[in-house]
Amino acid sequence: MGYEILGTPQEPTFGLDTFGDVENGADGQPVSQAEAIRQVVAEGVLADQVGVDYFGVGEHHRAEMAVSSPDVVLAAIAGRTDRIRLGTAVTVLSSDDPVRVYERFATLDAVSRGRAEVTLGRGSFTESFPLFGYSLEDYEALFAEKLDLFTHLQEEKPVDWSGTVRPALEGAQAFPVTEAGSLPAWVGVGGTPQSVVRAAAYGLPLVMAVIGGSPERFTPLADLYRRALKEAGHQELPISMHSPGHVAETDELAVAQHFSHHQAAFAKIGAERGWGPMSRADYDVMAGPRGALFIGSPETVAQKIAWAVRTLGLSRFQLKYSVGALPHEQRLNSIRLYGEQVVPRVKELLG
């Protein structure tokens, strides 16, 4: 399925992720979602220009995160780029239709000349479920069955399939087919062993969302995934890690630019989920040498990424560079520093 081009622990690749977070304009008010989407396109184009390997756009259905159709945004980026791989962070497969997802991303693969991939997840945000008429009571069954169907579609042959969450298929096939013969797909997980084992059972690469605690605590899950792959008779497959961060010229500037926006975004989501507030002390621990936030100067961030790659045996690292109302210009600068200084330094550190 072409996973050899997606990175190995010996030669990892480096990506950037965004949810299309809406910044505040000069008047202190949020810019339009349309403007936020245009900013994402510009950021993806810059990522290609500075040598980043992968650009991922996440699906959300919220006022503060503008992208609900990542494939459309990625197609716009594809038309202005030449080499960067284009995918999602993540696609909420549970509230979508696997056939339509496959067809949309196979189309993206065509217009990008083979640069498309998709990361499939259950969704940590649940707005899409009532929006598209799904019950959260079916949360597990929706993803399990739809992932199963998606893996059948990857064979790009007529499919016979039946389940409980959508109508059965008899000799049906998704079109267009890809020139490579299959669309690369990853499974995005938040840290549950069941999700890791399921990805391994289907022979799909893994993206671990490390957004709290320390990357070290995901080591048992990475080890479990590798064991499960072997037990299922699959070859070794890539493991990626998605974590938030921000790069600026100095550690102090990076924190000064990032903290208030991260704290505000955390507070908004936390109010919905019953979390306590984030203090500056909490943030400093997360931004420290072993925390889940990759914040600082190019050297600081590079050292931390190299440590994470070694610790987890990563094939790819994905920096979620946008957060809350962090200004577009600061995001652009972070992308430049990441591509031009951080990534080359990480490669140097990894030897």
Side-chain angles (χ1 to χ4, degrees):
M1 296 183 182
Y3 296 127
E4 68 276 3
I5 66 175
L6 305 183
T8 68
Q10 291 72 40
E11 295 185 11
T13 58
F14 300 90
L16 290 165
D17 290 341
T18 179
F19 299 160
D21 303 75
V22 178
E23 73 159 347
N24 290 333
D27 59 358
Q29 298 301 309
V31 301
S32 69
Q33 290 191 321
E35 176 60 20
I37 289 171
R38 290 189 289 267
Q39 290 176 351
V40 170
V41 173
E43 290 159 11
V45 171
L46 177 61
D48 181 68
Q49 292 170 349
V50 299
V52 175
D53 299 303
Y54 173 79
F55 193 76
V57 180
E59 172 196 349
H60 292 83
H61 303 267
R62 300 171 61 91
E64 74 273 23
M65 299 173 186
V67 180
S68 60
S69 300
D71 52 298
V72 179
V73 178
L74 292 166
I77 297 171
R80 296 176 55 188
T81 57
D82 299 313
R83 45 160 299 281
I84 195 167
R85 294 193 63 79
L86 303 167
T88 58
V90 299
T91 292
V92 185
L93 186 64
S94 305
S95 57
D96 210 328
D97 183 81
V99 179
R100 293 296 293 140
V101 171
Y102 200 90
E103 291 187 333
R104 294 199 306 266
F105 282 88
T107 301
L108 173 65
D109 196 65
V111 300
S112 66
R113 295 186 177 273
R115 292 184 281 137
E117 55 189 71
V118 62
T119 299
L120 307 169
R122 294 183 296 178
S124 60
F125 292 85
T126 59
E127 290 83 1
S128 63
F129 288 80
L131 187 63
F132 298 118
Y134 293 100
S135 171
L136 286 172
E137 294 179 359
D138 300 322
Y139 188 79
E140 291 292 339
L142 283 165
F143 185 70
E145 291 192 16
K146 290 184 177 185
L147 181 64
D148 182 70
L149 174 54
F150 192 94
T151 61
H152 284 77
L153 296 168
Q154 281 185 295
E155 298 176 8
E156 297 193 345
K157 299 176 181 178
V159 171
D160 293 322
W161 182 91
S162 63
T164 64
V165 299
R166 75 172 313 279
L169 296 176
E170 296 183 5
Q173 185 172 351
F175 294 101
V177 296
T178 62
E179 291 177 321
S182 187
L183 177 72
W186 305 63
V187 173
V189 301
T192 62
Q194 178 186 6
S195 297
V196 168
V197 171
R198 176 164 48 205
Y202 283 111
L204 294 173
L206 192 70
V207 182
M208 299 186 296
V210 182
I211 58 176
S214 171
E216 288 176 308
R217 70 185 179 90
F218 280 74
T219 302
L221 290 175
D223 292 342
L224 173 62
Y225 174 70
R226 294 186 179 98
R227 291 197 305 272
L229 279 175
K230 187 174 182 179
E231 291 171 3
H234 297 300
Q235 63 181 348
E236 185 174 345
L237 292 172
I239 299 177
S240 183
M241 176 176 136
H242 156 108
S243 287
H246 178 64
V247 190
E249 285 74 10
T250 67
D251 292 347
E252 294 77 15
L253 181 59
V255 169
Q257 291 177 344
H258 185 267
F259 169 65
S260 62
H261 300 295
H262 184 83
Q263 184 185 47
F266 186 92
K268 181 175 179 58
I269 298 169
E272 300 171 3
R273 301 185 181 184
W275 301 342
M278 170 181 283
S279 69
R280 176 57 189 268
D282 296 330
Y283 177 89
D284 288 344
V285 171
M286 293 285 289
R290 296 296 182 263
L293 294 179
F294 289 71
I295 309 291
S297 67
E299 180 65 20
T300 295
V301 174
Q303 290 281 352
K304 192 169 180 179
I305 292 175
W307 164 77
V309 169
R310 292 192 196 99
T311 299
L312 296 172
L314 299 176
S315 300
R316 178 188 284 171
F317 178 85
Q318 298 167 220
L319 183 76
K320 201 274 186 177
Y321 68 92
S322 61
V323 61
L326 184 72
H328 176 53
E329 288 303 319
Q330 292 178 15
R331 298 197 304 263
L332 290 173
N333 189 53
S334 183
I335 291 169
R336 288 190 193 95
L337 293 171
Y338 183 76
E340 294 176 351
Q341 297 187 35
V342 174
V343 170
R345 180 60 174 145
V346 176
K347 293 178 178 179
E348 183 180 83
L349 290 167
L350 293 175

